[in-house]
Amino acid sequence: MRIAHIITRLIIGGAQENTLLCCEDLINLFGEDVLLITGPPLGPEGSLVDRAIRNRVPLKIIPWLRREIHPWRDLRSYWAIRRVLQVFRPDVVHTHSAKGGILGRLAAYRLRVPVIVHTVHGAPFHPYQHFVAREFCRLAEVWAARYCDIFITVANAMRTLLVQGSIAPPEKCITIYSGMEIEPFVNCGTYRQETRRKLGFSADEVVVGKVARLFPLKGHDDVIEAAGPVIAQNPKVRFLFVGGGILENDLKKKIQDKGLADYFAFTGLIPPEKLPAVISAMDILVHTSLREGLARVLPQALLAGIPVISYDVDGAREVVIPEKTGILLPARDVAGLASAILRLAQDPAIRRQFGEAGRLLCQEIFPHEKMTREIHALYCKLLRSKGYRVDMVG
């Protein structure tokens, strides 16, 4: 089977890690012929290109493929993707992200690729956009939906979004949870003491971590607002922001202005392989983003036995089970966030209880091999439905 994956950029991020793991597994578990097509990894988030090269995933970088809308570059990207696909002659094209998804699906459809699949990793439109931008994104997805056979969603919440947004009927959507390398998180406890020491946390401090790019809609401001009343009642609580981004200076200034600088630490951008050790240093993870598909950091923290407090957005409730693995809050509920942090900070037993339940749940759901086997089985099913003998395809 010849399979082309297309994603806008191979930065350090959940959708990108998902895509790269799937490509690696398709090669290593199934021996398939895979090509990963992407744009340059521009931006402050870091790059996964070196990992793709190191792990021998065939890669084609389209220099004009970018996240931002730019008619001339987008047209050049479309024709470049089409030329690459013409040479590769895939049996399956699997697209990811908005720009890569629209251009890739159209190119594959025009070339009559037998099977076209698109994964929705996060909401392509959401309530925090301006109405005009939201409707434009929705209509673009409606238009692009005609050019694929099926949607994979990384959470049931994304499936509901597509149906309610008139993007696709329920029978055209299937949920396959976004897999990851679970062992580094399950076993990360061995790094806890050393990592806490390096980050400057003492043994009796309660570390509340947030892992996200320092970008708008990620909810860092809400954590800072909640920190004041938390620290006033429990001065042993500390906060850790993991990630880099354009808001770093603004967030540090806000923390300084509130007199909270001694209670916050920033790691900056870290490579994915160091994330398990950093999560091991936490006692609680908070997830205050306003839009995600199903944030990978939620299962990652739970795999590490760390309880989570999350806004009830998109797919969060599919792993944050109230009073079992963590606490769910309405989005922007800063008072509720402060109360939840205080509750868990003063109760180590409930933290252990939530964390262990989360570890058991996520060990079953999130191994990347499970994800790739389900995706590969879907490819085979779709090819057979179109009359192809899968063992002879390609």
Side-chain angles (χ1 to χ4, degrees), residues 219-227 288 290 311 331-334 337-338:
H220 294 88
D221 287 339
D222 289 3
V223 179
I224 295 170
E225 290 299 319
T288 53
L290 299 177
Y311 284 166
R332 308 309 303 264
D333 182 3
V334 175
L337 178 63

Side-chain angles (χ1 to χ4, degrees), residues 48-67:
L48 291 174
V49 168
D50 287 345
R51 170 171 173 161
I53 294 171
R54 184 169 65 251
N55 291 347
R56 299 183 179 181
V57 174
L59 196 64
K60 178 64 178 178
I61 296 177
I62 306 295
W64 309 284
L65 183 55
R66 314 286 174 86
R67 186 181 186 186

Side-chain angles (χ1 to χ4, degrees), residues 159-203:
R159 184 174 183 269
T160 300
L161 179 79
L162 293 182
V163 174
Q164 292 179 345
S166 301
I167 308 300
E171 62 271 17
K172 197 174 178 178
C173 308
I174 182 172
T175 295
I176 299 177
Y177 286 106
S178 184
M180 59 193 68
E181 295 170 307
I182 68 169
E183 290 81 6
F185 295 96
V186 171
N187 300 319
C188 69
T190 56
Y191 304 109
R192 177 176 170 82
Q193 291 184 2
E194 177 65 14
T195 306
R196 285 174 70 95
R197 185 190 64 78
K198 288 180 179 179
L199 292 170
F201 300 126
S202 64

Side-chain angles (χ1 to χ4, degrees), residues 20 111 180 227 275 283 333:
L20 187 52
L111 291 172
M180 59 193 68
L275 182 58
D283 298 287
D333 182 3

